[in-house]
Amino acid sequence: KYLPDRVRQKVLREVRMAASSSDSDVLWTAVEVLENEERREQEDLVDNMVGAALAGSLAVLGKRGVVEALNQKAVDALCFRTDLEQKAWACHACGYLGLEERNCPSCDEPCGQGDLREEATLVALRQSAQVHEVEPSSRLDTYGGIGARLRFRC
């Protein structure tokens, strides 16, 4: 009640602590609050993405669907598990991303092999999409550990 409205709106949670609490105790409590909020935001993002995809709305789940959406520049937000392991092939001439292609089907240049997380992140950032890494115990596990919210249907 003593904070200005613009500051009060940014408060995540009030935590009661003894006036004698050390700086270290205050810092660790703040870190815990921030980590919990980040985890909640990740869960909300994944839940909304999975719900939208299952409803046939503006989201896709799984490696093939996400790669296709990235190639069509339709991705608004890319979301993947922190431990996702998958090879990917990227054309450095035109930016095409694939899961199996060694030669680009778009420009016929050779594709370089890389990691899907890294290559998809680069493609998404070039498209001004958000990129989110989530912990492995999310609902994305059922769908190959990767999904995307879309700007438009593809």
Side-chain angles (χ1 to χ4, degrees), residues 59-78 97 123 127 147-154:
V60 293
L61 301 169
K63 297 166 189 157
R64 292 202 184 284
V66 169
V67 166
E68 181 179 322
L70 284 166
N71 285 329
Q72 293 185 26
K73 299 177 177 37
V75 173
D76 178 52
L78 173 66
L97 183 62
V123 173
Q127 298 174 19
R149 185 177 62 219
L150 305 177
R151 292 184 172 109
F152 55 86
R153 290 188 199 278
C154 55

Side-chain angles (χ1 to χ4, degrees), residues 87-109:
K87 291 179 185 175
W89 299 87
C91 177
H92 298 291
C94 72
Y96 176 86
L97 183 62
L99 297 174
E100 300 165 356
E101 299 81 3
R102 290 197 166 64
N103 284 322
C104 179
S106 183
C107 70
D108 205 36
E109 290 292 319

Side-chain angles (χ1 to χ4, degrees), residues 2-133:
Y2 299 106
L3 297 173
D5 284 342
R6 64 180 172 76
V7 175
R8 189 176 315 126
Q9 292 171 356
K10 297 180 180 185
V11 173
L12 297 176
R13 186 175 75 174
E14 291 183 34
V15 177
R16 294 196 183 273
M17 297 184 75
S20 60
S21 296
S22 69
D23 291 349
S24 178
D25 288 343
V26 172
L27 177 63
W28 284 110
T29 301
V31 166
E32 182 180 311
V33 168
L34 288 171
E35 286 175 345
N36 288 338
E37 178 65 14
E38 184 176 292
R39 199 168 16 261
R40 187 192 61 74
E41 287 176 358
Q42 285 180 357
E43 289 170 2
D44 288 349
L45 173 71
V46 170
D47 286 346
N48 290 336
M49 190 177 295
V50 170
L54 294 178
S57 189
L58 293 175
V60 293
L61 301 169
K63 297 166 189 157
R64 292 202 184 284
V66 169
V67 166
E68 181 179 322
L70 284 166
N71 285 329
Q72 293 185 26
K73 299 177 177 37
V75 173
D76 178 52
L78 173 66
C79 188
F80 53 83
R81 289 173 41 140
T82 55
D83 65 346
L84 178 67
E85 291 186 16
Q86 170 72 44
K87 291 179 185 175
W89 299 87
C91 177
H92 298 291
C94 72
Y96 176 86
L97 183 62
L99 297 174
E100 300 165 356
E101 299 81 3
R102 290 197 166 64
N103 284 322
C104 179
S106 183
C107 70
D108 205 36
E109 290 292 319
C111 292
Q113 184 179 352
D115 177 73
L116 179 59
R117 282 180 304 160
E118 293 171 13
E119 298 296 342
T121 296
L122 291 173
V123 173
L125 292 175
R126 279 190 223 115
Q127 298 174 19
S128 299
Q130 299 173 9
V131 177
H132 303 274
E133 286 187 304

